[in-house]
Each structure stands twice: as C-alpha cells, then as structure tokens.
Coordinates of all heavy atoms in Angstrom, one line a residue:
M1 N 23.6 7.8 31.9 CA 23.5 6.9 30.8 C 23.5 7.8 29.5 O 22.7 8.7 29.3 CB 22.2 6.2 30.9 CG 22.1 5.0 29.9 SD 21.1 3.7 30.5 CE 20.6 2.9 29.0
S2 N 24.5 7.5 28.6 CA 24.5 8.3 27.4 C 24.5 7.4 26.2 O 25.0 6.2 26.3 CB 25.7 9.2 27.4 OG 26.9 8.5 27.3
F3 N 24.1 7.9 25.1 CA 24.0 7.1 23.9 C 25.0 7.7 22.9 O 25.3 8.9 22.9 CB 22.6 7.1 23.4 CG 21.6 6.6 24.4 CD1 20.8 7.4 25.1 CD2 21.5 5.2 24.6 CE1 19.8 6.9 26.0 CE2 20.6 4.7 25.5 CZ 19.8 5.6 26.2
P4 N 25.4 6.9 21.9 CA 26.3 7.5 20.9 C 25.5 8.5 20.1 O 24.4 8.4 19.8 CB 26.6 6.3 20.0 CG 25.6 5.2 20.3 CD 25.2 5.5 21.7
I5 N 26.2 9.6 19.7 CA 25.7 10.7 18.9 C 25.9 10.3 17.5 O 27.0 10.1 17.0 CB 26.3 12.0 19.3 CG1 26.1 12.4 20.7 CG2 25.7 13.1 18.4 CD1 24.7 12.6 21.2
K6 N 24.8 10.3 16.7 CA 24.9 10.0 15.3 C 24.4 11.2 14.5 O 23.7 12.1 15.0 CB 24.0 8.8 15.0 CG 24.5 7.5 15.6 CD 25.5 6.9 14.7 CE 25.9 5.5 15.2 NZ 27.0 4.9 14.4
T7 N 24.8 11.3 13.3 CA 24.3 12.4 12.4 C 23.3 11.8 11.4 O 23.7 10.8 10.8 CB 25.5 13.1 11.7 OG1 26.5 13.5 12.6 CG2 25.0 14.3 10.9
C8 N 22.2 12.4 11.4 CA 21.1 11.9 10.5 C 21.5 12.0 9.0 O 22.0 13.1 8.6 CB 19.8 12.6 10.8 SG 18.5 12.2 9.6
V9 N 21.4 10.9 8.3 CA 21.8 11.0 6.8 C 20.7 11.8 6.0 O 21.0 12.2 4.9 CB 21.9 9.6 6.2 CG1 23.1 8.9 6.9 CG2 20.6 8.8 6.4
I10 N 19.6 12.0 6.6 CA 18.5 12.7 5.9 C 18.6 14.2 6.1 O 18.7 15.0 5.2 CB 17.1 12.2 6.3 CG1 17.0 10.7 6.1 CG2 16.0 12.9 5.5 CD1 17.1 10.2 4.7
C11 N 18.6 14.7 7.4 CA 18.5 16.1 7.7 C 19.8 16.6 8.3 O 19.9 17.8 8.6 CB 17.3 16.4 8.6 SG 17.5 15.6 10.2
S12 N 20.8 15.7 8.5 CA 22.1 16.1 9.1 C 22.0 16.6 10.5 O 23.0 17.2 11.0 CB 22.8 17.2 8.2 OG 23.0 16.7 6.9
E13 N 20.9 16.4 11.2 CA 20.8 16.7 12.6 C 21.5 15.6 13.4 O 21.5 14.4 13.0 CB 19.3 16.7 13.0 CG 18.6 17.9 12.4 CD 18.8 19.2 13.2 OE1 19.2 19.1 14.4 OE2 18.7 20.3 12.6
E14 N 22.1 16.1 14.5 CA 22.7 15.1 15.4 C 21.6 14.5 16.3 O 20.7 15.3 16.8 CB 23.9 15.7 16.2 CG 25.1 16.0 15.3 CD 26.3 16.4 16.2 OE1 26.1 16.9 17.3 OE2 27.4 16.3 15.6
F15 N 21.7 13.3 16.6 CA 20.7 12.7 17.5 C 21.4 11.6 18.3 O 22.4 11.0 17.9 CB 19.5 12.2 16.7 CG 19.9 11.0 15.8 CD1 19.7 9.7 16.2 CD2 20.4 11.3 14.5 CE1 20.0 8.6 15.3 CE2 20.7 10.2 13.7 CZ 20.5 8.9 14.1
E16 N 20.8 11.3 19.5 CA 21.3 10.1 20.3 C 20.7 8.8 19.7 O 19.5 8.7 19.5 CB 20.8 10.3 21.7 CG 21.6 11.4 22.5 CD 21.2 11.4 23.9 OE1 20.0 11.0 24.2 OE2 22.0 11.8 24.8
L17 N 21.6 7.9 19.4 CA 21.2 6.6 18.9 C 20.8 5.8 20.1 O 21.7 5.2 20.8 CB 22.3 6.0 18.1 CG 21.9 4.6 17.6 CD1 20.7 4.6 16.7 CD2 23.1 3.9 16.8
K18 N 19.5 5.8 20.5 CA 19.1 4.9 21.6 C 18.8 3.5 21.1 O 18.4 3.3 19.9 CB 17.8 5.5 22.2 CG 18.1 6.9 22.8 CD 16.8 7.6 23.3 CE 17.1 8.9 23.9 NZ 16.0 9.7 24.3
P19 N 19.1 2.6 21.9 CA 18.9 1.1 21.5 C 17.5 0.8 21.1 O 17.3 0.0 20.2 CB 19.2 0.3 22.8 CG 20.0 1.3 23.6 CD 19.5 2.7 23.3
D20 N 16.5 1.5 21.6 CA 15.1 1.2 21.3 C 14.6 2.2 20.2 O 13.4 2.2 19.9 CB 14.2 1.3 22.5 CG 14.2 2.6 23.2 OD1 15.1 3.5 22.8 OD2 13.3 2.9 24.0
K21 N 15.5 3.0 19.6 CA 15.0 3.9 18.6 C 14.5 3.1 17.4 O 15.2 2.2 16.8 CB 16.2 4.8 18.1 CG 15.7 6.0 17.2 CD 16.8 6.7 16.6 CE 17.2 6.0 15.3 NZ 16.2 6.0 14.3
P22 N 13.3 3.4 17.0 CA 12.7 2.7 15.8 C 13.4 3.2 14.5 O 13.9 4.3 14.5 CB 11.2 3.0 15.9 CG 11.2 4.3 16.6 CD 12.3 4.4 17.5
G23 N 13.3 2.4 13.5 CA 13.8 2.9 12.2 C 15.3 2.7 12.0 O 15.9 1.9 12.7
F24 N 15.8 3.4 11.1 CA 17.2 3.2 10.7 C 18.2 3.8 11.8 O 17.8 4.8 12.4 CB 17.5 3.9 9.4 CG 16.8 3.2 8.2 CD1 15.6 3.7 7.7 CD2 17.4 2.0 7.7 CE1 15.0 3.1 6.7 CE2 16.7 1.4 6.6 CZ 15.5 1.9 6.1
A25 N 19.3 3.2 12.0 CA 20.3 3.7 13.0 C 21.0 5.0 12.5 O 21.5 5.7 13.3 CB 21.3 2.6 13.2
N26 N 21.0 5.2 11.2 CA 21.6 6.4 10.7 C 20.6 7.5 10.4 O 20.9 8.5 9.6 CB 22.5 6.1 9.5 CG 21.7 5.5 8.4 OD1 20.5 5.2 8.5 ND2 22.4 5.2 7.3
R27 N 19.4 7.5 11.0 CA 18.4 8.5 10.8 C 17.9 9.0 12.1 O 17.7 8.1 13.0 CB 17.2 8.0 10.0 CG 17.6 7.7 8.5 CD 16.4 7.3 7.7 NE 16.8 6.8 6.4 CZ 15.9 6.6 5.5 NH1 14.6 6.7 5.7 NH2 16.3 6.1 4.3
C28 N 17.7 10.3 12.3 CA 17.1 10.8 13.5 C 15.7 10.3 13.7 O 15.1 9.9 12.7 CB 17.2 12.3 13.5 SG 16.1 13.1 12.4
P29 N 15.2 10.4 14.9 CA 13.8 9.9 15.1 C 12.8 10.5 14.2 O 11.9 9.9 13.7 CB 13.5 10.3 16.6 CG 14.9 10.3 17.2 CD 15.8 10.8 16.1
A30 N 13.0 11.8 13.9 CA 12.0 12.5 13.0 C 12.0 11.9 11.6 O 11.0 11.7 11.0 CB 12.3 14.0 13.0
C31 N 13.2 11.6 11.1 CA 13.3 11.1 9.8 C 13.0 9.6 9.8 O 12.8 9.0 8.7 CB 14.7 11.4 9.2 SG 15.0 13.2 8.9
S32 N 13.0 9.0 10.9 CA 12.7 7.6 11.0 C 11.2 7.4 10.9 O 10.7 6.3 10.6 CB 13.3 6.9 12.2 OG 14.7 6.9 12.2
A33 N 10.5 8.4 11.3 CA 9.0 8.3 11.4 C 8.5 8.0 9.9 O 8.8 8.8 9.0 CB 8.4 9.6 11.9
P34 N 7.9 6.9 9.7 CA 7.6 6.5 8.4 C 6.3 7.0 7.9 O 5.7 6.4 7.0 CB 7.6 4.9 8.5 CG 7.1 4.7 9.9 CD 7.5 5.9 10.7
E35 N 5.8 8.1 8.4 CA 4.5 8.6 8.0 C 4.3 8.8 6.5 O 3.4 8.2 5.9 CB 4.3 10.0 8.6 CG 3.9 10.0 10.1 CD 3.9 11.4 10.7 OE1 3.5 12.3 10.0 OE2 4.3 11.5 11.9
E36 N 5.3 9.5 5.9 CA 5.1 9.8 4.5 C 5.1 8.6 3.6 O 4.3 8.3 2.8 CB 6.2 10.8 4.0 CG 5.8 11.7 2.9 CD 6.9 12.6 2.5 OE1 7.4 13.3 3.4 OE2 7.3 12.7 1.3
T37 N 6.1 7.7 3.9 CA 6.3 6.5 3.1 C 5.0 5.6 3.3 O 4.5 5.1 2.3 CB 7.5 5.7 3.6 OG1 8.5 6.7 4.0 CG2 8.0 4.8 2.6
D38 N 4.6 5.5 4.5 CA 3.4 4.7 4.8 C 2.2 5.2 4.1 O 1.5 4.4 3.5 CB 3.2 4.6 6.3 CG 3.8 3.4 6.9 OD1 4.6 2.7 6.2 OD2 3.6 3.1 8.1
S39 N 1.9 6.5 4.1 CA 0.7 7.0 3.5 C 0.8 6.8 2.0 O -0.2 6.5 1.4 CB 0.5 8.4 3.9 OG 1.4 9.3 3.2
T40 N 2.0 6.9 1.5 CA 2.2 6.7 0.0 C 1.9 5.3 -0.3 O 1.1 5.0 -1.2 CB 3.6 7.0 -0.4 OG1 3.9 8.3 0.0 CG2 3.7 7.0 -1.9
K41 N 2.4 4.4 0.5 CA 2.2 3.0 0.3 C 0.7 2.7 0.4 O 0.1 1.9 -0.3 CB 3.0 2.2 1.3 CG 4.1 1.3 0.7 CD 4.7 0.4 1.8 CE 6.2 0.9 2.1 NZ 6.7 0.4 3.4
E42 N 0.1 3.3 1.4 CA -1.3 3.1 1.7 C -2.2 3.5 0.5 O -3.0 2.8 0.1 CB -1.7 3.8 3.0 CG -3.1 3.4 3.6 CD -3.0 2.0 4.1 OE1 -2.0 1.6 4.8 OE2 -3.9 1.2 3.7
N43 N -1.8 4.7 0.0 CA -2.6 5.2 -1.2 C -2.4 4.2 -2.4 O -3.4 4.0 -3.1 CB -2.1 6.6 -1.6 CG -2.5 7.6 -0.6 OD1 -3.5 7.4 0.2 ND2 -1.8 8.7 -0.5
R44 N -1.2 3.8 -2.6 CA -0.9 2.9 -3.7 C -1.7 1.6 -3.5 O -2.3 1.1 -4.5 CB 0.6 2.6 -3.8 CG 1.0 2.2 -5.2 CD 2.5 2.0 -5.3 NE 3.2 3.2 -4.9 CZ 4.4 3.3 -4.3 NH1 4.9 2.2 -3.9 NH2 5.0 4.4 -4.0
R45 N -1.7 1.1 -2.3 CA -2.4 -0.2 -2.0 C -3.9 0.0 -2.3 O -4.6 -0.8 -2.9 CB -2.2 -0.6 -0.6 CG -2.4 -2.1 -0.4 CD -2.2 -2.5 1.1 NE -0.8 -2.1 1.5 CZ -0.6 -1.5 2.7 NH1 -1.5 -1.3 3.6 NH2 0.6 -1.2 3.1
T46 N -4.5 1.2 -1.8 CA -5.9 1.4 -2.1 C -6.2 1.5 -3.5 O -7.2 1.0 -4.0 CB -6.3 2.8 -1.4 OG1 -5.8 2.7 0.0 CG2 -7.8 3.0 -1.4
A47 N -5.3 2.1 -4.3 CA -5.5 2.2 -5.7 C -5.5 0.9 -6.4 O -6.3 0.5 -7.2 CB -4.4 3.1 -6.4
D48 N -4.5 0.0 -5.9 CA -4.5 -1.3 -6.4 C -5.8 -2.1 -6.1 O -6.3 -2.8 -7.0 CB -3.3 -2.1 -5.8 CG -2.0 -1.7 -6.4 OD1 -2.0 -1.0 -7.5 OD2 -0.9 -2.0 -5.9
D49 N -6.3 -1.9 -4.9 CA -7.5 -2.6 -4.5 C -8.6 -2.1 -5.4 O -9.4 -2.9 -5.8 CB -7.8 -2.2 -3.0 CG -7.0 -3.1 -2.1 OD1 -6.2 -3.9 -2.6 OD2 -7.1 -2.9 -0.9
A50 N -8.7 -0.8 -5.7 CA -9.8 -0.3 -6.5 C -9.7 -0.9 -7.9 O -10.7 -1.3 -8.5 CB -9.7 1.2 -6.6
D51 N -8.4 -1.0 -8.4 CA -8.2 -1.6 -9.7 C -8.7 -3.0 -9.7 O -9.3 -3.5 -10.7 CB -6.8 -1.5 -10.1 CG -6.4 -0.1 -10.7 OD1 -7.4 0.7 -10.9 OD2 -5.3 0.2 -10.9
A52 N -8.3 -3.7 -8.7 CA -8.6 -5.1 -8.6 C -10.1 -5.3 -8.5 O -10.7 -6.2 -9.1 CB -8.0 -5.8 -7.3
R53 N -10.8 -4.4 -7.7 CA -12.2 -4.5 -7.6 C -12.9 -4.3 -8.9 O -13.8 -4.9 -9.3 CB -12.7 -3.5 -6.5 CG -12.8 -4.1 -5.1 CD -13.7 -3.3 -4.2 NE -13.1 -1.9 -4.1 CZ -12.2 -1.6 -3.1 NH1 -11.8 -2.5 -2.3 NH2 -11.8 -0.4 -3.0
K54 N -12.3 -3.2 -9.6 CA -12.9 -2.9 -10.9 C -12.7 -4.1 -11.9 O -13.7 -4.4 -12.6 CB -12.2 -1.6 -11.5 CG -12.8 -1.0 -12.7 CD -12.2 0.3 -12.9 CE -12.7 0.9 -14.3 NZ -11.6 0.8 -15.3
A55 N -11.5 -4.6 -11.9 CA -11.3 -5.8 -12.8 C -12.2 -6.9 -12.5 O -12.8 -7.6 -13.3 CB -9.8 -6.2 -12.7
E56 N -12.4 -7.1 -11.2 CA -13.3 -8.2 -10.7 C -14.7 -8.0 -11.2 O -15.4 -8.9 -11.6 CB -13.2 -8.4 -9.2 CG -13.7 -9.7 -8.7 CD -13.6 -9.8 -7.2 OE1 -12.7 -9.1 -6.6 OE2 -14.4 -10.5 -6.6
S57 N -15.2 -6.7 -11.0 CA -16.6 -6.5 -11.3 C -16.7 -6.5 -12.8 O -17.8 -7.0 -13.3 CB -17.0 -5.1 -10.8 OG -16.5 -4.1 -11.7
E58 N -15.7 -6.1 -13.6 CA -15.8 -6.3 -15.0 C -15.9 -7.8 -15.4 O -16.6 -8.2 -16.3 CB -14.6 -5.6 -15.7 CG -14.8 -4.1 -15.9 CD -13.5 -3.4 -16.3 OE1 -12.5 -4.1 -16.6 OE2 -13.5 -2.2 -16.3
M59 N -15.1 -8.6 -14.7 CA -15.1 -10.0 -15.0 C -16.4 -10.6 -14.7 O -17.0 -11.4 -15.4 CB -14.0 -10.7 -14.1 CG -13.4 -11.9 -14.7 SD -11.8 -12.3 -13.9 CE -12.4 -12.7 -12.3
N60 N -17.0 -10.2 -13.5 CA -18.3 -10.7 -13.1 C -19.4 -10.2 -14.2 O -20.2 -11.0 -14.5 CB -18.7 -10.1 -11.8 CG -17.9 -10.8 -10.6 OD1 -17.4 -11.9 -10.8 ND2 -17.9 -10.2 -9.5
E61 N -19.2 -9.0 -14.6 CA -20.2 -8.5 -15.6 C -20.1 -9.3 -16.9 O -21.1 -9.7 -17.5 CB -19.8 -7.0 -15.9 CG -20.7 -6.4 -17.0 CD -22.2 -6.4 -16.6 OE1 -22.5 -6.2 -15.4 OE2 -23.0 -6.5 -17.6
A62 N -18.8 -9.6 -17.3 CA -18.6 -10.4 -18.5 C -19.2 -11.8 -18.3 O -19.8 -12.4 -19.2 CB -17.1 -10.5 -18.8
R63 N -19.0 -12.4 -17.1 CA -19.5 -13.7 -16.8 C -21.1 -13.7 -16.9 O -21.7 -14.6 -17.4 CB -19.0 -14.2 -15.4 CG -19.1 -15.7 -15.3 CD -18.6 -16.0 -13.9 NE -17.2 -15.6 -13.7 CZ -16.7 -15.3 -12.5 NH1 -17.4 -15.3 -11.4 NH2 -15.4 -15.0 -12.4
R64 N -21.6 -12.7 -16.2 CA -23.1 -12.6 -16.2 C -23.6 -12.5 -17.7 O -24.6 -13.1 -18.0 CB -23.5 -11.3 -15.5 CG -23.9 -11.6 -14.0 CD -24.7 -10.5 -13.4 NE -24.0 -9.2 -13.4 CZ -23.2 -8.8 -12.5 NH1 -23.0 -9.5 -11.4 NH2 -22.5 -7.7 -12.5
R65 N -22.9 -11.7 -18.5 CA -23.4 -11.5 -19.9 C -23.3 -12.9 -20.6 O -24.2 -13.2 -21.4 CB -22.5 -10.5 -20.6 CG -23.3 -9.7 -21.6 CD -22.4 -8.6 -22.2 NE -22.0 -7.6 -21.3 CZ -20.8 -7.1 -21.1 NH1 -19.8 -7.5 -21.9 NH2 -20.5 -6.2 -20.2
A66 N -22.2 -13.6 -20.4 CA -22.0 -14.9 -21.0 C -23.1 -15.9 -20.6 O -23.7 -16.6 -21.5 CB -20.6 -15.5 -20.6
I67 N -23.4 -15.9 -19.3 CA -24.5 -16.8 -18.8 C -25.8 -16.4 -19.5 O -26.6 -17.2 -19.9 CB -24.6 -16.7 -17.3 CG1 -23.3 -17.4 -16.7 CG2 -25.8 -17.4 -16.8 CD1 -23.2 -17.2 -15.2
R68 N -26.1 -15.0 -19.5 CA -27.3 -14.6 -20.1 C -27.4 -15.0 -21.6 O -28.5 -15.4 -22.1 CB -27.4 -13.0 -20.0 CG -28.8 -12.5 -19.9 CD -28.8 -11.0 -20.0 NE -27.9 -10.4 -19.0 CZ -27.2 -9.3 -19.1 NH1 -27.1 -8.7 -20.3 NH2 -26.4 -8.8 -18.2
D69 N -26.3 -14.8 -22.3 CA -26.3 -15.2 -23.7 C -26.6 -16.7 -23.9 O -27.3 -17.1 -24.7 CB -24.9 -14.9 -24.3 CG -24.7 -13.4 -24.5 OD1 -25.7 -12.7 -24.3 OD2 -23.6 -13.0 -24.9
M70 N -26.0 -17.5 -23.0 CA -26.1 -18.9 -23.0 C -27.6 -19.3 -22.8 O -28.2 -20.1 -23.6 CB -25.3 -19.6 -21.9 CG -24.3 -20.6 -22.5 SD -22.9 -20.8 -21.3 CE -23.7 -20.9 -19.7
R71 N -28.2 -18.6 -21.8 CA -29.6 -18.9 -21.5 C -30.5 -18.5 -22.7 O -31.4 -19.2 -23.1 CB -30.1 -18.1 -20.3 CG -29.5 -18.7 -19.0 CD -30.5 -18.4 -17.8 NE -29.9 -18.8 -16.6 CZ -29.6 -18.0 -15.6 NH1 -29.9 -16.7 -15.7 NH2 -29.0 -18.4 -14.5
Y72 N -30.1 -17.3 -23.2 CA -30.9 -16.7 -24.4 C -30.9 -17.7 -25.5 O -31.9 -18.0 -26.2 CB -30.4 -15.4 -24.7 CG -31.1 -14.7 -25.8 CD1 -32.4 -14.1 -25.6 CD2 -30.6 -14.6 -27.1 CE1 -33.1 -13.5 -26.6 CE2 -31.3 -14.0 -28.1 CZ -32.5 -13.4 -27.9 OH -33.2 -12.8 -28.8
R73 N -29.7 -18.2 -25.8 CA -29.5 -19.1 -26.9 C -30.3 -20.4 -26.7 O -30.9 -20.9 -27.6 CB -28.0 -19.4 -27.1 CG -27.5 -18.8 -28.4 CD -26.0 -19.1 -28.5 NE -25.2 -17.9 -28.2 CZ -24.1 -18.0 -27.4 NH1 -23.7 -19.2 -26.9 NH2 -23.4 -16.9 -27.1
K74 N -30.3 -20.9 -25.5 CA -31.0 -22.1 -25.1 C -32.5 -22.0 -25.3 O -33.2 -22.8 -25.8 CB -30.7 -22.5 -23.7 CG -30.5 -24.0 -23.5 CD -30.3 -24.3 -22.1 CE -28.8 -24.2 -21.7 NZ -28.6 -24.4 -20.2
E75 N -33.0 -20.8 -24.9 CA -34.4 -20.5 -25.0 C -34.9 -20.3 -26.4 O -36.1 -20.7 -26.7 CB -34.8 -19.3 -24.1 CG -34.8 -19.7 -22.6 CD -34.9 -18.4 -21.8 OE1 -35.1 -17.3 -22.3 OE2 -34.6 -18.5 -20.6
S76 N -34.1 -19.7 -27.2 CA -34.6 -19.4 -28.6 C -34.4 -20.6 -29.6 O -33.7 -21.5 -29.3 CB -33.9 -18.2 -29.1 OG -32.5 -18.4 -29.1
Ligands
ZN1 ZN1 16.8 13.6 10.4

C-alpha cells in the first residue's frame, strides 16, 4: 500500500499523503502540527479574556460607585 508523495509547501520535504493525515494536504505532518498557531491563538484568547474581565470589573466598580452615590444622596 503506497500513498502519493507530496512536497510540503512549508519546508519542501517530501512526505506521503496519507488519507488520514491531519491538516493540509500540501503540508508534511510536521508542518501540519498546529502547535505554534494554537498556542498563539490560545495566548491571544487569554489576553482577550483578561481584557474582558478587566473591563467587566471596571464596569462593576463604576456601577458600585453609582449605587453608593445614589444611596449617599438619598441619605443626605
Ligand atoms: Zn513540512
């Protein structure tokens, strides 16, 4: 059983294009491994989450302050 030999568009290595090979058909298995891309995406997502959490906590802080001001105004 043989598979078609393809040349990787990333590293120019020849590789067997197996039907169950994950990733792109024109990339060797090593270059198909999405490690770098995934970790970059992961980092970006984490940064976004941190920003979202920061924005949310700032919003909550502003809301708390508004409620406190409202109470203060009512009491005085
Ligand atoms: Zn490659």
Side-chain angles (χ1 to χ4, degrees):
M1 191 150 156
S2 70
F3 302 104
I5 302 296
K6 293 278 187 181
T7 306
C8 174
V9 294
I10 306 295
C11 65
S12 302
E13 290 281 336
E14 289 188 340
F15 64 97
E16 285 185 332
L17 179 60
K18 296 176 181 175
D20 60 347
K21 191 192 87 61
F24 294 99
N26 56 359
R27 293 187 189 186
C28 71
C31 293
S32 294
E35 277 172 42
E36 207 179 311
T37 323
D38 265 8
S39 71
T40 308
K41 246 185 248 162
E42 195 64 47
N43 288 340
R44 202 176 302 146
R45 201 181 304 140
T46 308
D48 283 350
D49 282 354
D51 279 353
R53 269 197 298 271
K54 193 169 167 251
E56 198 181 331
S57 81
E58 278 170 5
M59 210 163 65
N60 286 340
E61 177 62 35
R63 200 180 299 150
R64 264 199 300 271
R65 210 176 298 137
I67 291 169
R68 206 189 306 143
D69 286 352
M70 241 155 42
R71 287 210 188 117
Y72 182 76
R73 249 177 258 135
K74 218 183 277 177
E75 281 167 14
S76 61

